[in-house]
Amino acid sequence: MTSTTSAPPAQQPKSRPGDRIFAGTAKGAGILILVILAGVALFLISESVPALTASPDEIPGDGGLASYIGPLIFGTLLSAMIALLVATPLAVAIALFITFYAPRKLAAGLGYVVDLLAAIPSIVYGFWGIAWLAPRLVPFYRWLEENLGFIPFFTGPVSSSGRTMLTIGLVLAVMILPIVSAISREVFSQVPTLHTEAALALGATRWEMIKMAVIPYGKSGIIGGSMLGLGRALGETMAVAIILSGSAAGITWALITSANPQTIAANIALQFPEETGLGVNTLIASGLALFVITLLVNMLARWVVSRRADFSGAN
């Protein structure tokens, strides 16, 4: 008769005081972020209630709260989407050039210069847009009206000052370019060497290697960086307020005229000092709309990134 001896139970690793402190600090920081986010949401909702429950006649403008906030939401989304459409391809191209094409010394300097764009204050971008960029875009806008005026985006009359929605989109594109480019460069640098070397060993050119190995691996990172840049463009205030000050048109698709819809953040910055009472609550209600839009954009980005990770080239 043989006797069996059970193996001794595995000993749990001892938790050091430093590990416990770090874990508690990390957990507390995560909870604090949620508490702050909930506090901001409760503040916006409570201060927006008077505007949400007021009669349409008491809301500034005509047509009630929806008619007041609707054009602002449209202008915010339109300017941000123009910026995203312009900045994302350019940022990805810059990231690919720095990572795979540029010599090492040039890549380091170029990456540093691109990252410096994020350090420029937004008010400087606004002055640059209104004083330098806008006047130089007027001939281009006239060309667009003459040759592509049948498209609703390029109908006239052209703004003589160049302070248009398309100008704002280009300025915002420059502002979010370093964000998308930096994240894309980081993702591209993490592509497994085995993938790139295998593609080159099979006879692929450098561009074919990028198309087959790098882009599939970095899609989720590109999407995440683009959504982060979109969040920056949605909330930009000073640059938009400087360039589009005085513009308060309704919903219009024309991008090169003087009649431009205002954005939520810029409208709050321009109107808040002069508003009192229900006008302040109306502006806070528009801020609540921007808060919800930004939250939905980030949730959509997380969902897209999580889905792309399942089908990434890294798998």
Side-chain angles (χ1 to χ4, degrees):
M1 182 176 181
T2 60
S3 60
T4 59
T5 58
S6 59
Q11 294 182 353
Q12 296 292 334
K14 294 182 179 180
S15 178
R16 300 177 181 179
D19 295 336
R20 292 195 297 268
I21 293 174
F22 178 78
T25 303
K27 183 178 180 180
I31 295 174
L32 179 62
I33 291 174
L34 295 177
V35 171
I36 293 175
L37 185 63
V40 172
L42 289 175
F43 168 78
L44 293 175
I45 293 173
S46 62
E47 293 296 325
S48 301
V49 168
L52 295 173
T53 57
S55 63
D57 298 335
E58 297 175 344
I59 301 297
D62 299 325
L65 187 62
S67 299
Y68 179 83
I69 298 180
L72 298 177
I73 294 177
F74 175 81
T76 302
L77 295 177
L78 181 60
S79 61
M81 291 307 300
I82 294 173
L84 191 65
L85 291 175
V86 173
T88 301
L90 184 59
V92 173
I94 292 173
L96 290 173
F97 175 76
I98 293 175
T99 307
F100 296 103
Y101 288 93
R104 181 167 298 181
K105 292 184 179 180
L106 177 61
L110 186 58
Y112 181 72
V113 171
V114 173
D115 292 339
L116 276 179
L117 292 175
I120 300 176
S122 60
I123 193 169
V124 175
Y125 279 111
F127 288 141
W128 170 72
I130 193 174
W132 189 89
L133 182 63
R136 286 164 174 79
L137 287 176
V138 173
F140 175 63
Y141 292 162
R142 290 187 179 135
W143 182 88
L144 289 175
E145 182 190 19
E146 293 173 1
N147 296 273
L148 301 175
F150 59 90
I151 302 176
F153 295 114
F154 306 124
T155 56
V158 174
S159 171
S160 59
S161 63
R163 298 165 59 181
T164 68
M165 182 58 67
L166 186 54
T167 302
I168 280 295
L170 296 177
V171 171
L172 292 178
V174 177
M175 295 179 69
I176 69 175
L177 179 66
I179 299 175
V180 184
S181 178
I183 295 177
S184 299
R185 290 203 318 269
E186 185 64 26
V187 173
F188 294 156
S189 65
Q190 299 299 322
V191 176
T193 307
L194 180 63
H195 290 192
T196 57
E197 291 181 350
L200 294 173
L202 291 173
T205 63
R206 186 177 301 182
W207 166 242
E208 290 173 338
M209 178 270 294
I210 291 173
K211 184 172 63 174
M212 293 187 297
V214 177
I215 298 297
Y217 181 90
K219 275 185 179 180
S220 60
I222 295 173
I223 295 172
S226 301
M227 292 299 103
L228 189 62
L230 178 60
R232 167 72 190 277
L234 288 172
E236 178 52 42
T237 303
M238 292 308 301
V240 181
I242 291 173
I243 297 176
L244 290 187
S245 57
S247 297
I251 297 177
T252 174
W253 292 100
L255 303 180
I256 58 176
T257 66
S258 299
N260 303 285
Q262 192 60 267
T263 65
I264 294 176
N267 181 71
I268 293 175
L270 293 173
Q271 301 297 329
F272 195 85
E274 301 177 357
E275 291 290 348
T276 57
L278 189 60
V280 174
N281 298 114
T282 303
L283 293 177
I284 295 177
S286 65
L288 177 62
L290 180 60
F291 179 83
V292 173
I293 292 172
T294 307
L295 187 62
L296 291 176
V297 166
N298 283 274
M299 291 175 61
L300 177 62
R302 295 288 298 179
W303 178 76
V304 172
V305 169
S306 63
R307 280 182 58 85
R308 290 301 316 173
D310 296 334
F311 305 100
S312 172
N315 297 331

